[in-house]
């Protein structure tokens, strides 16, 4: 694609896709329900999102979903860290590429047939570690641009069910968008009857504040 940006079609098996759909269904119901993210100027995103590990809202991460129900988001599971590491090793065709990669947040996005996502950079993280993106269900047009402007040059490609897309290195801050969902292209055997599920794992680079009681000297 571009240096640091790699598309691996059909990376997830059907069984892995099924398991991810089940996991995401669970997260979509709680502790923080999936919702249309509110934008600072009063709009709402057409995509529905639920986060694990850290909660994202424009333009910050917190442990609690203060713009939804105030609950702490679900833990980021170890198996997903493992999946992220394998994604990097496979995308970069380098067994060592995933070593030390410890994603601590994932945005789980659900697109119905009408949903879109405008050109943006993922830049609310304080780490430049790669973003690992997975697609399940309907295919979409994915627009992958440059790091300088939200306009051309960009490349439109299709991301289909099971595809992996990694953007790291010189592509980490590339603008990207989802201009179109291709309804009816998904295989219902994934467990998703319609729409597109997207999971993006990231490293926030954030740490929880150390509380007084965590200090042995404070006991
Ligand atoms: O749905 C996608 O493929 C991209 C999602 C995305 O860019 C994001 O969540 O920041
Ligand atoms: Fe993004």
């Amino acid at each position: 694609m571009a240096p640091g940006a790699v598309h691996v079609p059909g990376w997830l098996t059907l069984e892995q896709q099924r398991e991810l759909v089940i996991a995401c269904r669970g997260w979509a119901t709680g502790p923080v329900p999936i919702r249309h993210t509110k934008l600072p100027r009063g709009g709402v995103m057409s995509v529905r999102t639920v986060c694990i590990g850290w909660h994202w809202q424009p333009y910050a991460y917190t442990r609690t979903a203060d713009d939804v129900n105030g609950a702490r988001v679900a833990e980021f599971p170890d198996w997903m860290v493992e999946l992220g590491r394998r994604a990097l090793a496979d995308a970069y065709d380098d067994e060592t590429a995933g070593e030390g990669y410890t994603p601590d947040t994932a945005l789980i996005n659900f697109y119905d047939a009408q949903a879109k996502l405008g050109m943006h950079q993922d830049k609310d993280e304080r780490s430049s570690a790669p973003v690992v993106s997975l697609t399940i269900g309907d295919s979409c047009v994915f627009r992958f641009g440059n790091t300088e402007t939200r306009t051309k040059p960009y490349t439109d490609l299709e991301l289909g069910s099971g595809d992996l897309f990694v953007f790291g290195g010189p592509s980490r801050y590339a603008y990207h968008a989802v201009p179109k969902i291709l309804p009816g292209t998904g295989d219902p055997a994934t467990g998703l009857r319609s729409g597109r599920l997207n999971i993006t794992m990231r490293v926030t680079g954030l740490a929880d504040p150390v509380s007084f009681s965590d200090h042995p000297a404070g006991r």
Side-chain angles (χ1 to χ4, degrees), residues 2-46:
V6 185
H7 177 203
V8 186
W11 185 69
L12 292 167
T13 65
L14 185 59
E15 187 53 33
Q16 285 176 307
Q17 294 178 66
R18 278 200 200 107
E19 286 169 6
L20 284 166
V21 168
I22 291 167
C24 291
R25 280 223 168 89
W27 289 318
T29 62
V32 179
I34 194 164
R35 91 301 185 204
H36 295 276
T37 303
K38 294 193 186 89
L39 297 168
R41 288 188 209 152
V44 290
M45 292 173 65
S46 58

Side-chain angles (χ1 to χ4, degrees), residues 117 120-122 167 176 202:
L117 186 63
H120 68 279
Q121 293 168 298
D122 294 354
F167 41 114
H176 55 281
R202 304 124 187 255

Side-chain angles (χ1 to χ4, degrees), residues 148-170:
E148 303 305 316
T149 73
R150 60 181 69 242
T151 58
K152 287 181 178 174
Y154 51 68
T155 305
D156 282 352
L157 63 140
E158 252 180 60
L159 293 183
S161 202
D163 288 11
L164 163 67
F165 194 92
V166 171
F167 41 114

Side-chain angles (χ1 to χ4, degrees), residues 1 21 25 28 39 53 56 73 77 82 106-107 119 131 150 154 159 163 165 189 198 200 202 207 211:
M1 270 294 310
V21 168
R25 280 223 168 89
L39 297 168
W56 176 81
V73 299
E82 259 328 294
L107 273 64
M119 275 306 235
V131 175
R150 60 181 69 242
Y154 51 68
L159 293 183
D163 288 11
F165 194 92
N198 164 257
T200 58
R202 304 124 187 255
S211 78

Side-chain angles (χ1 to χ4, degrees), residues 167-192:
F167 41 114
S171 290
R172 173 59 179 80
Y173 296 105
Y175 282 88
H176 55 281
V178 178
K180 195 176 165 57
I181 298 296
L182 305 170
T185 51
D187 177 356
T190 59
L192 207 62

Side-chain angles (χ1 to χ4, degrees), residues 23-219:
C24 291
R25 280 223 168 89
W27 289 318
T29 62
V32 179
I34 194 164
R35 91 301 185 204
H36 295 276
T37 303
K38 294 193 186 89
L39 297 168
R41 288 188 209 152
V44 290
M45 292 173 65
S46 58
V47 178
R48 277 177 278 174
T49 305
V50 63
C51 308
I52 58 172
W54 290 85
H55 177 78
W56 176 81
Q57 75 178 92
Y59 295 93
Y61 286 100
T62 48
R63 284 296 193 188
T64 52
D66 303 327
D67 59 336
V68 188
N69 64 354
R72 190 181 165 108
V73 299
E75 292 292 315
F76 193 98
D78 290 342
W79 60 260
M80 200 177 272
V81 174
E82 259 328 294
L83 192 64
R85 289 180 180 170
R86 268 190 285 131
L88 293 191
D90 289 351
Y92 293 133
D93 199 12
D94 172 0
E95 273 309 311
T96 68
E99 286 174 8
Y101 183 63
T102 308
D104 62 346
T105 188
L107 273 64
I108 295 156
N109 295 315
F110 180 77
Y111 297 76
D112 64 18
Q114 284 78 40
K116 297 176 198 304
L117 186 63
M119 275 306 235
H120 68 279
Q121 293 168 298
D122 294 354
K123 59 174 185 191
D124 295 328
E125 301 77 26
R126 291 188 197 159
S127 158
S128 57
V131 175
V132 166
S133 165
L134 302 171
T135 292
I136 300 172
D138 284 342
S139 302
C140 73
V141 176
F142 184 67
R143 181 162 291 172
F144 195 74
N146 61 84
T147 56
E148 303 305 316
T149 73
R150 60 181 69 242
T151 58
K152 287 181 178 174
Y154 51 68
T155 305
D156 282 352
L157 63 140
E158 252 180 60
L159 293 183
S161 202
D163 288 11
L164 163 67
F165 194 92
V166 171
F167 41 114
S171 290
R172 173 59 179 80
Y173 296 105
Y175 282 88
H176 55 281
V178 178
K180 195 176 165 57
I181 298 296
L182 305 170
T185 51
D187 177 356
T190 59
L192 207 62
R193 278 182 300 281
S194 66
R196 171 174 180 263
L197 185 64
N198 164 257
I199 301 168
T200 58
M201 297 177 219
R202 304 124 187 255
V203 177
T204 62
L206 298 170
D208 289 311
V210 178
S211 78
F212 185 65
S213 59
D214 291 338
H215 280 291
R219 288 214 186 115

